[in-house]
Structure formats: structure tokens, C-alpha cells
Amino acid sequence: MVKVNLGGCKSFVSDALYSDYIGKALDAYDVLAGEQGAGNDFLGWKTLPCDVTEDIICRCESVRDLWASKGVDLVVVIGIGGSYLGARCAIEALSHSFVRKQGVPQVVFAGNNLSEDYIAEMMDLARQRNTACVVISKSGTTTEPAVAFRLVKSYIEETYGKQEASQRIVAITDAVKGALKTLATQEGYTTFVVPDNVGGRFSVLTPVGLLPIMLAGFDVRAMLAGADSERESLLVRGADNAAVQYAAMRNLLYSEQGKGVEILVSFNPKFQYLGEWWKQLYGESEGKDRKGIFPASVICTTDLHSMGQFIQDGSRNMFETVVTVENASREVVIGSDPQNLDQLNYLAGQRVEHCNRMAQLGTKLAHIDGGVPQLEISVDAINEKTLGALFYFFEFACGVSAYLLGVNPFNQPGVEAYKKNMFALLRKPGFEAQSREILERIK
Ligand code: PA5
């Protein structure tokens, strides 16, 4: 379902070097398939498309139906990193860009920053609406979602009463440990489990992603089916395996040609959050031990009018991975104008998508001429099935790629550094000893 086209790298890479890297990628594939590599206790995501039970989906439907019966028209999804990006990516990709879907609640996201303005404005919205909340934290102790949840929880309790609040709050967290689990048990919230062997950024196909996506009105069974058929196609080992090809080429460009930046490009703004989800997946999985490709993203043609100059002509340390959607869902034809003052009549009768495609092809040639290799990943349309396939493809390819690079794809030790300093500055109990030193250093 997900196709890879490496034609845009041909002029940069010899066949011999590519086949060398295919060999390395196949070795890495074997480590992932054989589950012998670093972090192999976090491989539960590999079988999620067929492991998610009908019972889990039915429990999600019960939450959806209960909230519908209460007239809930706003769901605040609280979480950060892997605990919100997958759901946001799918909901943004599948939703109308301007009109709210009828008959389902609006899903908004909070707890992914510490901006006072953002939280206050989200609360303004909550106060105007019939509100429920899904709080997601695998560890159950992350500061950003905990701060947002404290506010939303007390608002819901004050507005609807404590007993009703327990029906309007759902927690998705660890099966046994963490502050959120303790609170959820104490308050009697409906809970869903993030499996122990699935890390946050690989969790979109658990209730972490599935519940918010379903609440927003989308078909999670189709998403799992799309992911499962991608899983089956990636089970076939060989030089034609799409994940092996992607992992091989991006590592070759990085290690042999100093291309340390990968830009995920889409010519469809619905994929803006695919870029955000992908950046977390690859950034946290590969950026360690002083190694890794820096993941960036742009939306075209929008960003050709901002980042385009740099990509065409700036430092030559980057390559692009373009995610192409072969078929637009809608047709818009450009009309004829008798005056033709804008001189666009040469396009009369053409679809806007035709112009978009020509812009994509023109950009490909220009960027290749400018020294930027281009990989292409394509799906036939944007729908639940193809999103499921893309999620699975990128996760699997990430595992192969990180093992090829020689890092553990499934940990994120670097994320702790800012937290320690922040806790010391906030004088969190247990961190007082570091406070003085940190205060000295920031003077
Ligand atoms: O990929 C990861 O594990 C992280 O980015 C987490 O998703 C993120 O830090 C949120 O963690 P938690 O769900 O424990 O609140």
C-alpha cells in the first residue's frame, strides 16, 4: 500500500553503494524481525494491528456513545509527545479543513505545552461547551499534561459534580503504575491501558490514538486494517521491501554524503501533523549517541515561499522525503475569465490538483538540480486505511533505520535533561539540592 520511489536519488548514488546499504538494512531488518536488538522489550507495536481486540474497540465505542447521550460537544484530549501526536495527525488529515463534522464532538488538544495563554483559551472554550476529557500519559507523571489535567478536572467537577465528572473523564495510562493510574482508580474513571511493551511514539494504534480518532468520527477498524495489510507486506524480507529501501537510502545519504537533515514534504496541508508525528518518531528514536538525521518538515507549495529558497540554494546538507497522495478526494476546476487579467486562462478547464502535481514535479527537478536528493513515499488517497498503513510503515522503517544507524530506537534518555533543570528551578521536592547550582548557571 505504501510505495517507495528512489528515482530522485539516482543521480546522487551509485548502484554499488546502494546495494551495500540494502545489505546493511537487511541485517537491521533481521535484528528487528528476530527481536534481538537493543530495546527489544518495546516491540509490542509490531503486532498491534492484529492484537487490538474487538473488546478494546467496543469499550471505545461505549465511551463515544455515553458521551453522545450526554450531548458532549467538546472533548479535550490531554497528552504530550506520543500521547497526542498520532491522534492529532489522523484527525487533522481526515477532517474537513474548515467545517466541523456534524454529530460528533469537536476534539481539541491540551497538555502539550506550558503556555498560560493556550491553557486559558482552551478553558474559555470548555466553559462555553458541553465538555468531556481524555487524559493520556503512559508514565502518568509528565508535567505538561498533569498541569492541564488538574485545571480541566477541577472545571469538570465544579460544573457537573464529582460523580458526573467520573463519567466525563477517561484515562489512558499504564496498567498498574503512575500517578494517573492511582487517581483513575480512586476516582472510578474508565481507563484504557498503554501496553508496557509499546513506547509513546509507537502508540497511535493503541487506545492512545484510537479513542480520540474514534471520538472525532473516524473509522478505527479501517485504520487498523490498513496498518495490518502494511504489516503483512513488510513481513516479506528482501531488497524490494519498502521499509528496507527507505532505511537504506536515508542512512546512505546521511553516512556517505553528509546529508544530516531530512525534510518530510507534503503537497497536501492535511499532512502538516503527519510531519509533526514523524518528526517525533524519528527524532526521538534516532537522535542519540551524537548521531542521527535531523527531521524537519514542510508543506508545499506553501513553504516554497518561505523555506524554498533555503532548500534550493542554502547549505547542501539535506535530502527530502516527499509523501505523495496520488488522488485528491475532491475536484475543483479552474474557470475561464473573459478578461483574463490574471492571465490564468491557459489553465481554464484544468483541475487545481493538476497544478499541484506540476508544482510537485517542477520542485522535484529544481531541488535535484540544486543538489537535494529526493525520496518519494506514496499512498493512493487520504483515508483511514492509508493513514494506518503510513503509521505502520514509518514505525517499522524507523526500527530498521535506527538499528542500521547503530542506536536503540526505543529509548529517549535525552528527554530527561530539561526536566531535571526545570524541576530544580521549580523547586520540586527532591530537586532542591540542584536548585542553587542551576540558578547560578542561568545568571
Ligand atoms: O515517545 C515517547 O515515549 C515520549 O515522547 C512520550 O510520548 C512523551 O514524553 C509523553 O510521555 P507520557 O505518555 O508518559 O506522558
Side-chain angles (χ1 to χ4, degrees):
M1 256 170 119
V2 173
K3 289 180 259 167
V4 172
N5 174 2
L6 302 177
C9 299
K10 260 205 161 93
S11 55
F12 297 87
V13 164
S14 72
D15 288 349
L17 196 54
Y18 177 62
S19 79
D20 187 26
Y21 270 79
I22 283 287
K24 292 179 200 244
L26 284 170
D27 290 345
Y29 177 98
D30 291 338
V31 173
L32 184 64
E35 309 200 345
Q36 297 305 314
N40 61 359
D41 43 347
F42 281 98
L43 292 174
W45 58 271
K46 279 174 60 189
T47 48
L48 278 176
C50 45
D51 284 351
V52 173
T53 60
E54 194 52 29
D55 176 56
I56 292 176
I57 296 177
C58 290
R59 290 188 62 228
C60 292
E61 285 171 339
S62 299
V63 172
R64 179 195 63 190
D65 297 345
L66 175 70
W67 287 356
S69 74
K70 293 177 186 296
V72 166
D73 62 5
L74 180 76
V75 176
V76 181
V77 175
I78 295 178
I80 194 166
S83 288
Y84 94 106
L85 282 165
R88 186 155 193 180
C89 162
I91 292 170
E92 301 254 341
L94 296 170
S95 295
H96 192 289
S97 304
F98 302 99
V99 182
R100 265 185 60 203
K101 201 173 165 102
Q102 290 298 302
V104 294
Q106 182 183 4
V107 173
V108 296
F109 294 89
N112 52 65
N113 60 63
L114 285 171
S115 159
E116 196 162 45
D117 290 344
Y118 185 98
I119 293 183
E121 289 175 12
M122 184 274 294
M123 292 304 299
D124 290 342
L125 180 66
R127 278 185 212 101
Q128 293 165 22
R129 305 284 284 277
N130 187 341
T131 301
C133 167
V134 179
V135 56
I136 309 172
S137 177
K138 186 181 180 198
S139 63
T141 55
T142 308
T143 308
E144 291 88 339
V147 167
F149 183 54
R150 194 178 263 226
L151 283 161
V152 173
K153 176 179 181 289
S154 66
Y155 166 73
I156 290 180
E157 286 176 352
E158 278 160 24
T159 308
Y160 304 101
K162 200 145 168 78
Q163 194 170 346
E164 173 67 6
S166 69
Q167 295 197 16
R168 285 175 178 254
I169 295 171
V170 166
I172 307 180
T173 189
D174 187 87
V176 287
K177 58 181 190 302
L180 182 56
K181 173 65 188 167
T182 309
L183 182 75
T185 308
Q186 190 181 296
E187 304 283 344
Y189 300 154
T190 297
T191 55
F192 292 86
V193 170
V194 193
D196 268 353
N197 59 357
V198 179
R201 58 190 174 275
F202 290 83
S203 69
V204 60
L205 299 175
T206 71
V208 169
L210 299 178
L211 178 61
I213 293 166
M214 180 191 284
L215 291 171
F218 301 109
D219 181 354
V220 299
R221 287 187 181 83
M223 187 169 284
L224 288 163
D228 201 36
S229 70
E230 189 61 24
R231 184 187 69 83
E232 280 178 5
S233 80
L234 296 178
L235 284 176
V236 183
R237 183 189 188 279
D240 290 341
N241 182 295
V244 168
Q245 292 185 337
Y246 177 53
M249 186 56 86
R250 60 197 296 283
N251 275 280
L252 184 165
L253 293 169
Y254 170 63
S255 299
E256 305 293 331
Q257 301 196 353
K259 305 287 190 192
V261 176
E262 177 176 8
I263 308 173
L264 196 83
V265 182
S266 173
F267 280 71
N268 192 324
K270 286 180 182 292
F271 273 171
Q272 185 180 348
Y273 264 84
L274 178 69
E276 299 304 320
W277 172 82
W278 171 88
K279 283 190 281 192
Q280 191 217 2
L281 180 64
Y282 280 76
E284 276 194 355
S285 299
E286 293 192 318
K288 51 196 71 158
D289 305 340
R290 299 292 188 258
K291 294 196 263 193
I293 300 168
F294 183 83
S297 65
V298 296
I299 292 295
C300 292
T301 62
T302 315
D303 290 328
L304 292 175
H305 298 260
S306 69
M307 298 301 288
Q309 169 63 35
F310 197 111
I311 298 170
Q312 186 67 46
D313 216 15
S315 317
R316 299 298 73 191
N317 60 346
M318 65 189 74
F319 63 97
E320 292 179 312
T321 296
V322 181
V323 181
T324 298
V325 179
E326 282 160 8
N327 301 294
S329 313
R330 305 281 295 271
E331 269 194 43
V332 179
V333 174
I334 299 169
S336 176
D337 184 285
Q339 287 200 57
N340 197 27
L341 289 177
D342 53 12
Q343 298 184 354
L344 278 183
N345 273 355
Y346 76 103
L347 292 175
Q350 300 278 8
R351 287 180 62 184
V352 175
E353 193 54 23
H354 171 72
C355 304
N356 201 26
R357 244 188 240 301
M358 295 309 109
Q360 181 171 342
L361 285 174
T363 306
K364 177 175 182 174
L365 293 180
H367 288 183
I368 290 171
D369 289 345
V372 179
Q374 195 173 96
L375 294 77
E376 190 179 359
I377 285 168
S378 52
V379 288
D380 56 7
I382 300 183
N383 54 42
E384 287 92 335
K385 266 190 140 172
T386 54
L387 273 169
L390 279 170
F391 285 141
Y392 196 86
F393 168 79
F394 278 124
E395 288 175 0
F396 194 91
C398 182
V400 175
S401 192
Y403 280 143
L404 199 170
L405 184 67
V407 298
N408 175 352
F410 306 113
N411 63 4
Q412 54 285 327
V415 178
E416 297 310 311
Y418 97 90
K419 292 184 191 170
K420 283 187 199 138
N421 293 342
M422 177 178 75
F423 292 151
L425 290 164
L426 289 171
R427 297 180 188 278
K428 183 176 178 173
F431 288 82
E432 299 90 341
Q434 291 100 312
S435 293
R436 188 191 298 236
E437 184 211 325
I438 298 280
L439 282 169
E440 277 302 311
R441 283 183 57 202
I442 59 167
K443 261 186 195 162

